[in-house]
Amino acid sequence: MSSGIDLNCDLGEQEGSEGELLDQRLLPLVTCVNVACGGHAGSLQRLQWIAGRCRQQQVIFGAHPSYPDRAGFGRHELLLDRQVLRESLSVQLRLAAEAASRAGIVVGRVKPHGALYHVACERREEAELLLEVVRQELPGAAVCGRAGSLLPALASAYGLRGLDEAFGDRGVDADGRLLPRGTAGAVLSEPAVVAERVLRLVTEQRGRSRCGVDLSVRADTVCIHSDTAEAVQMLVQVRERLEAGGVRIRAC
């Protein structure tokens, strides 16, 4: 029996009342949310709205910074001067910290978004830059990155806690890296399939690549993306399957 698993979801990315309704439905189903803080989406108002609900429902409030790229939703790497990227990340984390403070909570986690996530998990220079900014702006926050990658492994050298993340709703290659969106098998859409996949990740610490390679995956937290079709139903079924399998869902 597993000792437990953290479930996380990225929120604050869809604008308007429809996006707020989606966030409101997803938030009670997870133990941590990563909230867009102005780089690819989001605003102080939306951050505060989510932070208040995190306080009410005892969910960890996390920051979800990205390359400053609202037009491209942060999904493409930007070749920015190091200082420009540092300043953008600092501004985003301060915005999340301000929203948390107004709600009477703290930012408990930082998880980069999109292209920044992939780059920071793979390249030391970007990983160290992000960790430097987190240490400066949010020294009490944990830093989340792909399980087995550079970002969570380097966190302790900066006095930060690293969290290894797996993805319930995304396909991976034989090296455990996420398949690019638009690739066959990159996004999984069947809640029952995702629920079984997450149960295996948690109880057996095993995953499977698109080509059928069995992978060892040691994860602290599992993500379901808010923009995946049927995300709400996925999380409902994930929780039901984990609990039926004797897994405690808890924040890490």
Side-chain angles (χ1 to χ4, degrees):
M1 180 184 296
S2 170
S3 61
I5 191 66
D6 176 271
L7 295 178
N8 79 80
C9 194
D10 306 333
L11 299 190
E13 296 182 325
Q14 183 176 335
E15 302 294 340
S17 58
E18 187 174 336
E20 289 184 4
L21 178 60
L22 177 62
D23 289 351
Q24 195 167 3
R25 295 176 67 197
L26 288 167
L27 195 146
L29 300 173
V30 295
T31 49
C32 174
V33 294
N34 320 292
V35 190
C37 42
H40 65 292
S43 64
L44 178 58
Q45 180 181 12
R46 187 67 167 275
L47 282 157
Q48 283 183 240
W49 184 85
I50 297 172
R53 280 153 182 78
C54 285
R55 180 179 180 179
Q56 293 169 4
Q57 299 183 41
Q58 297 184 318
V59 171
I60 293 173
F61 177 76
H64 199 35
S66 75
Y67 285 115
D69 177 27
R70 295 181 80 97
F73 200 65
R75 286 185 171 156
H76 305 285
E77 181 182 352
L78 300 184
L79 300 179
L80 301 175
D81 177 82
R82 183 179 176 86
Q83 187 55 40
V84 171
L85 180 56
R86 179 190 298 273
E87 180 58 30
S88 174
L89 293 175
S90 295
V91 169
Q92 291 179 62
L93 296 190
R94 289 175 199 152
L95 194 70
E98 181 179 350
S101 177
R102 292 185 182 185
I105 60 174
V106 298
V107 179
R109 195 173 301 180
V110 176
K111 173 186 166 182
H113 164 81
L116 181 63
Y117 182 95
H118 300 301
V119 169
C121 286
E122 298 291 337
R123 297 208 300 250
R124 180 173 289 269
E125 183 177 357
E126 282 81 359
E128 291 182 339
L129 173 59
L130 177 62
L131 291 167
E132 287 169 4
V133 175
V134 175
R135 179 172 62 183
Q136 174 184 323
E137 303 294 344
L138 298 170
V143 178
C144 184
R146 181 174 56 80
S149 73
L150 195 60
L151 182 61
L154 287 176
S156 62
Y158 288 80
L160 302 167
R161 185 163 62 104
L163 297 177
D164 287 301
E165 178 180 45
F167 293 85
D169 58 349
R170 294 294 307 277
V172 299
D173 64 18
D175 294 318
R177 296 179 176 87
L178 295 184
L179 297 171
R181 288 178 181 270
T183 304
V187 179
L188 308 180
S189 58
E190 297 181 30
V193 171
V194 170
E196 289 298 328
R197 173 188 173 91
V198 173
L199 180 67
R200 186 168 188 250
L201 281 168
V202 175
T203 58
E204 301 179 27
Q205 298 182 334
R206 307 295 293 178
R208 184 162 294 163
S209 74
R210 178 181 58 178
C211 56
V213 175
D214 226 29
L215 305 170
S216 175
V217 183
R218 300 179 66 89
D220 301 304
T221 183
V222 174
C223 174
I224 301 294
H225 290 88
S226 63
D227 60 354
T228 296
E230 305 297 333
V232 173
Q233 187 57 35
M234 268 184 197
L235 275 166
V236 169
Q237 291 198 30
V238 165
R239 292 183 66 96
E240 289 175 350
R241 193 68 187 91
L242 289 174
E243 290 167 353
V247 178
R248 186 167 62 93
I249 299 166
R250 50 93 181 113
C252 62

